[in-house]
Amino acid sequence: METIKIKYFTDKIERLTYIGGKSDWIDLRAAEDVDMKKGEYRLIPLGVAMELPKGYEAHIVPRSSTFKNYGIIQANHQGVVDSSYCGDNDQWFMSAYAMRDTHISCNDRICQFRIIENQPEIVFEQVESLDSADRGGFGTTGKQ
């Protein structure tokens, strides 16, 4: 089990909890009230900073209900926080784009994260042919 140091920037959000056995994704909350107009972009503060273990990063994505409830999408589709972003002022944010006028209240669960081990160092080897079976060259179906 890993221990992660966490700093909260506000007392207005619930503290993070890990619910074992249900999901290994952890909900993040808006750290302030946010009003957005359709077409507006904004970094929504999540009220936390963490000191991740070396060799790990956090992946931040919307919750499945975020678009339905708030009409926002994550502008970069996934946020990645590496272990170097670990200082006292390195608050996490969600990069949001409003598809409709919306209001998000402080403490609303708007996204989620999980901790992932960094990709190992790799070397690319150029070859003339690959050993695996050819699936047709387009996605999982091989059809266009």
Side-chain angles (χ1 to χ4, degrees):
M1 179 180 302
E2 293 284 347
T3 299
I4 296 176
K5 293 180 182 178
I6 184 168
K7 176 184 176 180
Y8 290 93
F9 289 83
T10 179
D11 290 329
K12 295 179 181 179
I13 60 172
E14 291 181 33
R15 299 309 185 229
L16 298 185
T17 56
Y18 181 81
I19 304 171
K22 182 177 179 190
S23 171
D24 59 357
W25 290 86
I26 301 165
D27 289 339
L28 292 165
R29 299 168 181 273
E32 62 186 37
D33 289 341
V34 174
D35 289 299
M36 295 177 71
K37 297 289 185 190
K38 180 180 179 179
E40 184 179 355
Y41 167 80
R42 177 137 183 222
L43 290 173
I44 300 174
L46 300 173
V48 297
M50 294 183 213
E51 193 174 297
L52 299 176
K54 295 290 183 210
Y56 289 84
E57 61 194 25
H59 292 190
I60 301 171
V61 300
R63 297 181 75 240
S64 60
S65 61
T66 297
F67 183 77
K68 176 181 67 92
N69 291 339
Y70 305 106
I72 60 172
I73 58 174
Q74 192 166 358
N76 55 353
H77 303 286
Q78 173 179 296
V80 177
V81 178
D82 65 42
S83 63
S84 70
Y85 193 70
C86 60
D88 271 342
N89 295 308
D90 291 337
Q91 180 174 197
W92 292 12
F93 291 84
M94 179 184 182
S95 175
Y97 182 80
M99 302 300 288
R100 60 175 163 84
D101 291 357
T102 191
H103 173 79
I104 301 165
S105 296
C106 182
N107 205 45
D108 281 347
R109 296 179 300 160
I110 58 171
C111 55
Q112 57 191 340
F113 79 101
R114 69 185 314 200
I115 307 296
I116 306 291
E117 196 168 2
N118 294 134
Q119 177 173 284
E121 187 174 325
I122 59 173
V123 174
F124 292 101
E125 176 187 356
Q126 184 174 338
V127 297
E128 293 297 321
S129 179
L130 302 174
D131 297 332
S132 299
D134 190 346
R135 294 180 17 190
F138 187 82
T140 59
T141 64
K143 299 176 184 171
Q144 291 186 355

